[in-house]
Amino acid sequence: MSDLPMSRTAGEAHDAVVDFDRLHPKRIDDESQIKVLLDRVRSGSVLLRRGLNKRIDPESAWIREISDSRIRMETKDFEADSRQHVFLSFFLDGQPHFFSAPLIQRHDKTLLLGIPTVVYLAERRDHIRRPPNGDDSRRVALTGTGTEPISAEIEDLSIEGLGVLVEKENSLKLYSPLGIRFVDGNRAGEHVFGEVRQRQVCAHRIGWTRIGLGVSASPKGREVTRERLETAVAPSVRRNGARRLKVISAAAQVALSRARERVFRAKLALPDIRIVEFENEAGESIRAIVDSWGPSRGATTVVIPPAWGRTKESLMPLASCLVAAFKGAREPIVVIRFDGIRKKGESYNDPDCRRPGTEHHKFTFYQGVRDIRATLDFLDQSQEFRPSSTILVSFSAASIESRAAVAADKRIDGWISVVGAADLQHMMRAISGGVDYAAGMARGMRFGMQEILGIQVDMDVAGLDAIKHQLAYMEDSRRDMSAISVPVTWIHGSFDAWMDAERALDILSRGDSANRRFIEVPTGHMLKTSREALETFQLISREVARISLSRSIEPELPDLAALDLRRRSERQRLPSRSPDLLAFWKDYLIGRDETLGIELMHSISPYRDLMEKQMTALSLSPGCRVADLGCGTGVFPLHLIGHGSPAKVHVIGIDYVREGLRRARSRLSEHEIPEGLRFSFLECNLETSARGQEVPIRSESVDAVLAALLISYVKDPHHLLTEMVRILKPGGRLVLSCLRKDADMSRLYTDGIAELRKGRARELLG
């Protein structure tokens, strides 16, 4: 329920409460008012929701009776659990509310709850509205299609919204879109555009209607068609048989080359990497990689800024797809991908931000706009390049600075945004687990250093700079899109839970929308090396050609064996850093403050479902011995205890994080262990091939091996698989689970947080 950063320490508890009240100023904490509100919910048979049960049915409830200290509720599809508090939400008068109430008694489909001490009015808007004051305008004239101006009184306002009061007979004439003219105050004479979002009878003024308006200085134009593709490369283009043969042949060649290197120590010749370096207007250096085919001067040029927390090397497969497609069409191309200033990578950073983990401490989005401008300056001023057309291709959060750059710089001839964010405020809310940094800063809050998807950022530096340079809000996006006249293609992943398709469609409708496309492809947010990623990169190649050449070209899959060598060459030229893997896995398993770690992931439904499937696949029988490789903090033994296990099962847990094993023992000590169920733990690094060692278990001595989400994290999976087979008895059972390529965490993350907020966290984690 809280929109607070989940990283707060116990010592910050008081500040957390204060911040919570500032982020959620609308609340009811008077007992008599709460009872009146809940009685309205009862008398109106208003539906209350809790969440989803295991069958993915919505858990529903209705209030049937309210007494001095209790609420009696009738439920449907509620799942029985051990939660001591029930979290419920409901809509009343078009406003979402939510509360938590203590559970007194549960019987069949009836719940008895205590009266909640506070009911929150959830804020759905990006900006909380306030009453007009001082020199604010008090009246507006509203004009709908074919109507005379209608006078309205402003009840509350924000950057992107108005709440107005209109006489009832006039309110019936108002439908979207509306023209809005401020009549008085400091905005007198200003014209904006509005959409009707909400209507309700005005409770305190008989005969009047309250209308909630979304407001923008940029009018909404023609809606952009939503194109949904079942695959990023159309079947008619893919030439499936030849493509499959090429992929199989390339994969076999890669495997053979690596085996030859491993066995015969024969090093393959790696391709050269073209590095260019140039300076921005402040004399700070930017380092980039150039991929090309054909004459560089006057070629189509694709500029790729870095995605969130990524470096120029991460989008090498895209560059290879672009070069392969244009080479196949006999058209010259230059692809330049650079590292951002004050970010990870080889470009300039301040001396105090060069240590791993500190690179983004002075990061700002507007610096990204300057980086794009400096790259365009370099291309224009270099005798080698001077593009015939320049296409900007951005990924993820880089859509924020790219949008502003395209709006301001006429040297950009087209923009392709891939899994991009329509606006910074909503994106940060999504990826931070619900923290509205922009709203908080607008109210004077300061957040300091925050970790956003593994990247430490000084949120005050980055956020205040974004607000200053008009990069933060949806209205900023609408204004920029209104100024963009070049073609825009927006590629959205249908499984991407971080980026909002509807908001993207909204901004695409601002300004000249005739030359814009919105293409939805079946991917998540992570696009690097998977099949879906390579297909999306081929789609990007086709769009680059459509915009720059005004014709279609055939997408080409690059040589995968050459791609593998190029990837290794790009990595090899970078300074070698030996990460402290033990420290990383310790933080991952038990948390940086050693209070809460991987238990968060173990608590959510998808992981519990995975463990159920693994349990079924293990098919344990009485007396068997199980090796749990990469056991972490003991989730498998705990699952055995909670779900019933055959008698006389011995689980041997192996991990190389001593603190994780300690926590496993501690968690098990809090439970009553069924008779015959035994657990023992061994500390061992399962990167055995690096040291020529074995898993410390005798050959053919265990009946089953479980390796849950382990194999993709080791350098030599083949060697570890060999060890698993060695320790298994003949006829034993091996159960593996593994992350797929470009495993996408966006929906797991957002759904998991929503699930934990509905009370699961309190039940499982205290």
Side-chain angles (χ1 to χ4, degrees), residues 71-88:
I71 307 170
R72 183 174 64 83
M73 307 192 74
E74 177 189 338
T75 68
K76 179 184 177 184
D77 295 322
F78 255 58
E79 201 159 76
D81 53 41
S82 59
R83 284 179 257 192
Q84 297 304 304
H85 279 72
V86 178
F87 291 80
L88 294 161

Side-chain angles (χ1 to χ4, degrees), residues 246-366:
K246 185 176 182 179
V247 170
I248 293 168
S249 173
Q253 188 177 342
V254 170
L256 184 61
S257 298
R258 289 187 175 180
R260 189 181 296 119
E261 282 188 286
R262 188 166 56 243
V263 175
F264 299 108
R265 309 292 184 195
K267 291 293 183 184
L268 296 175
L270 298 179
D272 293 331
I273 306 301
R274 169 90 190 275
I275 302 294
V276 296
E277 193 163 350
F278 48 93
E279 293 184 346
N280 65 8
E281 56 192 14
E284 298 163 331
S285 66
I286 295 176
R287 187 166 286 189
I289 292 177
V290 172
D291 304 89
S292 63
W293 183 84
S296 295
R297 189 179 176 91
T300 295
T301 300
V302 179
V303 175
I304 307 176
W308 182 265
R310 301 288 176 184
T311 61
K312 59 188 179 301
E313 288 77 17
S314 64
L315 285 169
M316 181 273 297
L318 168 60
S320 297
C321 283
L322 285 163
V323 170
F326 272 67
K327 182 179 179 181
R330 312 302 295 173
E331 292 283 355
I333 186 171
V334 170
V335 182
I336 183 165
R337 42 196 166 104
F338 61 86
D339 287 329
I341 288 176
R342 294 180 182 85
K343 299 178 183 177
K344 286 173 67 175
E346 296 183 283
S347 294
Y348 176 81
N349 212 329
D350 297 296
D352 56 341
C353 297
R354 294 173 185 172
R355 187 166 42 84
T358 67
E359 299 98 334
H360 285 69
H361 282 188
K362 295 183 181 178
F363 154 86
T364 63
F365 283 96
Y366 194 69

Side-chain angles (χ1 to χ4, degrees), residues 135-140 154 181-189:
D135 294 330
D136 285 335
S137 300
R138 308 283 173 149
R139 301 190 66 83
V140 290
I154 299 175
R181 179 175 59 84
F182 290 89
V183 175
D184 56 8
N186 56 6
R187 299 177 71 178

Side-chain angles (χ1 to χ4, degrees), residues 103-124:
L103 175 64
I104 297 173
Q105 187 179 16
R106 180 196 309 274
H107 178 69
D108 195 19
K109 295 183 178 181
T110 300
L111 292 181
L112 284 182
L113 306 179
I115 302 291
T117 56
V118 59
V119 176
Y120 288 96
L121 282 71
E123 182 55 62
R124 293 180 298 171

Side-chain angles (χ1 to χ4, degrees), residues 29 154 158 168 177 180 243 274 308 351 360 380 397 409 473 477 496 509 531 596 624 687 702 725 739 761:
D29 51 18
I154 299 175
S158 72
K168 184 178 179 180
I180 303 172
R243 179 185 175 279
R274 169 90 190 275
W308 182 265
H360 285 69
D380 280 350
D409 202 312
Y473 301 119
S477 299
D496 185 349
S509 72
R531 176 181 59 81
L596 191 64
C624 68
E687 262 322 341
V702 297
V725 173
L739 295 175

Side-chain angles (χ1 to χ4, degrees), residues 494-734:
S494 54
F495 303 111
D496 185 349
W498 279 327
M499 303 303 165
D500 190 314
E502 298 306 322
R503 294 173 85 89
L505 285 164
D506 181 296
I507 67 169
L508 287 171
S509 72
R510 311 291 165 153
D512 182 8
S513 60
N515 57 354
R516 294 174 184 171
R517 298 184 73 187
F518 181 92
I519 305 174
E520 188 171 310
V521 295
T523 72
H525 190 75
M526 300 298 293
L527 292 170
K528 293 190 293 183
T529 59
S530 64
R531 176 181 59 81
E532 292 89 348
L534 290 173
E535 288 187 351
T536 303
F537 296 161
Q538 291 175 77
L539 171 62
I540 294 168
S541 302
R542 193 168 60 194
E543 284 299 292
V544 168
R546 183 184 67 83
I547 294 171
S548 64
L549 305 176
S550 299
R551 70 181 182 89
S552 177
I553 67 171
E554 190 75 23
E556 289 285 343
L557 189 68
D559 186 310
L560 298 187
L563 201 67
D564 182 62
L565 291 176
R566 187 164 187 82
R567 180 183 298 110
R568 292 162 64 184
S569 183
E570 291 195 9
R571 288 178 179 172
Q572 189 169 299
R573 58 165 294 277
L574 295 173
S576 178
R577 287 178 179 170
S578 299
D580 188 344
L581 290 176
L582 183 59
F584 169 82
W585 285 113
K586 176 188 170 185
D587 289 346
Y588 185 78
L589 291 178
I590 68 171
R592 287 189 176 154
D593 61 359
E594 300 190 9
T595 58
L596 191 64
I598 200 169
E599 294 93 338
L600 278 168
M601 186 174 79
H602 293 166
S603 301
I604 63 176
S605 298
Y607 193 89
R608 298 197 308 274
D609 292 344
L610 170 65
M611 188 54 72
E612 288 282 357
K613 290 175 181 176
Q614 291 178 147
M615 280 276 293
T616 301
L618 281 169
S619 188
L620 300 179
S621 56
C624 68
R625 299 177 80 233
V626 185
D628 180 12
L629 304 187
C631 64
T633 59
V635 64
F636 174 58
L638 288 167
H639 201 83
L640 282 176
I641 294 171
H643 291 71
S645 163
K648 298 180 181 178
V649 170
H650 181 194
V651 178
I652 306 164
I654 299 179
D655 205 287
Y656 88 134
V657 179
R658 183 175 300 175
E659 293 82 358
L661 297 175
R662 248 187 233 129
R663 180 165 294 179
R665 292 189 184 97
S666 174
R667 294 174 74 191
L668 286 168
S669 70
E670 298 171 359
H671 294 78
E672 184 177 341
I673 310 297
E675 186 177 352
L677 192 57
R678 291 177 54 213
F679 304 112
S680 54
F681 296 97
L682 296 173
E683 183 183 341
C684 171
N685 186 352
L686 292 170
E687 262 322 341
T688 52
S689 62
R691 307 182 317 281
Q693 296 179 4
E694 298 179 334
V695 173
I697 296 178
R698 290 195 318 274
S699 298
E700 299 185 4
S701 63
V702 297
D703 301 279
V705 172
L706 172 64
L709 302 181
L710 168 68
I711 201 75
S712 56
Y713 289 110
V714 298
K715 291 180 182 176
D716 192 344
H718 181 268
H719 189 276
L720 184 57
L721 283 167
T722 303
E723 280 294 283
M724 294 179 194
V725 173
R726 179 186 64 78
I727 65 176
L728 267 176
K729 293 178 181 177
R733 189 171 286 253
L734 168 59

